[in-house]
Amino acid sequence: MKNLSLLLLIFTILISCKSNQEKKEQQEPNGQRPSSIQIISKLDSNEDGKLSKREVKGPIANDFINIDSNNDGFLTLEELNKAEKNQENRPPQQTNTNLSKEIDASVKTIPVNTDYFISENIINGIQKQIVELNGIETLCYVIKTNSQATEHEMGPWCPRHIEDGMEKAGIWFKDDKVYDVSGHFIANLDEFYSDDKWKLYREDGTIKVTDTEEGCLAAAKPNVEEKYHNYCVECLPEYFKNQVTTFVIPVTPKYIKTAQSFGRGGIGVAFNGVKYDPPAPTHAILAAHTIAPLDDHGGHVNPHGGYHYHAVTGSTKEIPQTDIHSPIIGYAIDGFAIFALLDKNENKPTNLDECGGHSDDKRGYHYHVGEPGENQIIKCLHGVAGTMNVDE
């Protein structure tokens, strides 16, 4: 009897395992994500070769506005392929943490003013979309740009010879200070960093610069290819001029009590449509004995974001205030305004919180940028954050 019971138990377990395995195989065929062709084949109910908003659901529906790079209301095979290709390089997505109980409605907030943006730099105009952000249905602006500055020249970055003056290159930073990247600066990096392995120049005095797109792609990343160690890393805006950056920003920001950190994605946007980035990953850059200078406007280029700012130096469009307050220069990804550091009397703001923000009666809660040498435009977010995506 005991043996019979044991046999029945084994038989039951085997049947159960087989059933669970079959169910798993149905849910996850080959354990792989479906291809773009398979997605369209499965969801394209009217068989027109593209997907409308009504035909998609789940993650694709949530990310529809980012994947739809031409903003025509449909997802094509090409757009889905690009989204799949970009997946590894995309910034961290919005977490599922519900922040509705963190909102502090007593803090004054001011809606985003889209009239401040340079309209010629916006692709297909600024749209509105209701998006769920951290469990909160939020009316957002959808802003698409090529992240190319128009009020100032982009560059220069790297000098070409150790005799070149500072006017032929950009800036670098260390210990909250800004340094001009002249040829002399490049020639003395071994002393600057107290490391005799630094040597970015050849015996004839010419400086090793990534002056091709191939060199840019190999060096402008955390794991710099060995052949480009001891190089001045320079990527040109024209390499990535067709990239589309999509910002999804709350129309009216919602202040939350707990500060939120940001990942490697954009933290905001200037009025020219260029994105503000988190601190440059200097540890990875310096580990390969490379530097990637900013231009005098605080920007440089990488393959997965095009031209972007790590510092604010007063080169972009500003909206002056009627009082002595510093001008507004852009918006953070949570919809709160970003203002310059110094007011009309050259004074810095006081009583800033951990993110670099504070409130006043006229502007509500807002941020102030840090010093250019700090490698940090703002430090964190105090609002429900939107999203930023780069379509390469």
Side-chain angles (χ1 to χ4, degrees):
M1 188 70 173
K2 186 181 291 185
N3 290 339
L4 178 61
S5 299
L6 182 59
L7 287 171
L8 288 172
L9 177 60
I10 293 172
F11 179 75
T12 303
I13 292 173
L14 288 173
I15 293 296
S16 175
C17 289
K18 182 179 179 182
S19 175
N20 287 337
Q21 181 63 30
E22 289 175 347
K23 184 182 291 186
K24 184 177 180 181
E25 288 174 356
Q26 290 173 358
Q27 292 174 343
E28 302 174 10
N30 301 322
Q32 296 179 352
R33 185 181 301 171
S35 67
S36 300
I37 293 177
Q38 290 171 326
I39 291 173
I40 288 184
S41 177
K42 182 177 180 180
L43 301 179
D44 184 18
S45 58
N46 63 359
E47 299 183 349
D48 62 352
K50 54 189 177 182
L51 301 178
S52 67
K53 292 180 181 179
R54 293 182 179 181
E55 292 174 314
V56 298
K57 56 186 177 180
I60 296 178
N62 295 337
D63 213 22
F64 194 98
I65 54 179
N66 290 323
I67 302 173
D68 182 20
S69 58
N70 64 0
N71 206 35
D72 67 349
F74 294 93
L75 304 184
T76 63
L77 178 62
E78 181 182 4
E79 288 172 327
L80 288 169
N81 281 334
K82 285 184 179 179
E84 184 178 7
K85 177 182 176 183
N86 295 343
Q87 193 66 33
E88 293 182 359
N89 299 311
R90 293 180 61 183
Q93 295 297 300
Q94 189 76 22
T95 65
N96 293 323
T97 305
N98 191 313
L99 295 176
S100 56
K101 294 183 179 180
E102 285 286 317
I103 295 174
D104 185 349
S106 67
V107 176
K108 182 177 181 178
T109 61
I110 303 295
V112 171
N113 189 333
T114 58
D115 291 337
Y116 293 162
F117 287 91
I118 300 174
S119 59
E120 294 82 2
N121 294 14
I122 308 301
I123 300 172
N124 297 327
I126 297 176
Q127 312 294 322
K128 284 185 178 180
Q129 177 89 27
I130 295 178
V131 180
E132 183 175 313
L133 302 175
N134 289 113
I136 304 167
E137 292 289 318
T138 307
L139 180 63
C140 294
Y141 287 120
V142 180
I143 303 170
K144 298 191 176 190
T145 80
N146 293 123
S147 202
Q148 302 270 309
T150 53
E151 322 93 304
H152 63 76
E153 177 186 0
M154 294 177 283
W157 291 278
C158 296
R160 267 35 185 191
H161 195 278
I162 59 173
E163 298 297 329
D164 285 346
M166 62 183 184
E167 73 281 356
K168 293 189 176 182
I171 58 176
W172 190 238
F173 43 85
K174 178 189 175 188
D175 300 332
D176 297 342
K177 295 181 180 179
V178 174
Y179 297 86
D180 290 306
V181 183
S182 63
H184 178 76
F185 177 84
I186 294 291
N188 290 278
L189 281 172
D190 55 342
E191 296 180 11
F192 187 74
Y193 284 114
S194 301
D195 179 356
D196 60 9
K197 292 182 180 179
W198 282 93
K199 189 179 180 183
L200 272 63
Y201 61 94
R202 304 177 182 90
E203 295 305 318
D204 63 357
T206 58
I207 294 171
K208 292 182 283 185
V209 179
T210 56
D211 53 6
T212 65
E213 185 173 354
E214 177 187 5
C216 159
L217 293 171
K221 58 183 182 180
N223 55 330
V224 179
E225 292 185 14
E226 189 172 353
K227 65 184 290 187
Y228 289 104
H229 286 203
N230 260 307
Y231 262 72
C232 188
V233 180
E234 176 180 285
C235 296
L236 300 182
E238 50 261 39
Y239 297 160
F240 314 107
K241 63 183 179 180
N242 294 322
Q243 284 185 353
V244 176
T245 301
T246 301
F247 302 91
V248 179
I249 299 177
V251 170
T252 302
K254 295 179 174 65
Y255 182 90
I256 53 178
K257 303 170 188 174
T258 306
Q260 306 292 305
S261 61
F262 30 70
R264 292 302 313 151
I267 61 174
V269 57
F271 295 136
N272 60 9
V274 174
K275 69 188 177 84
Y276 294 129
D277 252 23
T282 53
H283 177 75
I285 295 170
L286 299 176
H289 294 92
T290 62
I291 64 168
L294 309 178
D295 60 20
D296 288 342
H297 318 291
H300 65 184
V301 180
N302 71 35
H304 306 302
Y307 185 73
H308 57 278
Y309 298 119
H310 287 292
V312 172
T313 63
S315 301
T316 62
K317 180 180 179 180
E318 299 178 341
I319 304 297
Q321 304 296 287
T322 55
D323 53 12
I324 65 168
H325 196 277
S326 58
I328 181 174
I329 61 168
Y331 286 102
I333 201 69
D334 59 7
F336 284 116
I338 300 177
F339 287 80
L341 181 62
L342 302 178
D343 65 20
K344 293 177 182 177
N345 295 329
E346 299 295 307
N347 294 320
K348 295 180 181 179
T350 58
N351 301 318
L352 298 179
D353 61 23
E354 69 273 38
C355 295
H358 63 181
S359 294
D360 65 32
D361 292 338
K362 186 173 184 179
R363 285 155 285 267
Y365 184 81
H366 58 277
Y367 302 109
H368 286 271
V369 301
E371 295 275 7
E374 292 179 357
N375 185 27
Q376 194 158 253
I377 293 175
I378 60 174
K379 299 175 182 177
C380 50
L381 299 170
H382 249 304
V384 177
T387 62
M388 189 283 301
N389 179 65
V390 178
D391 178 9
E392 300 176 29

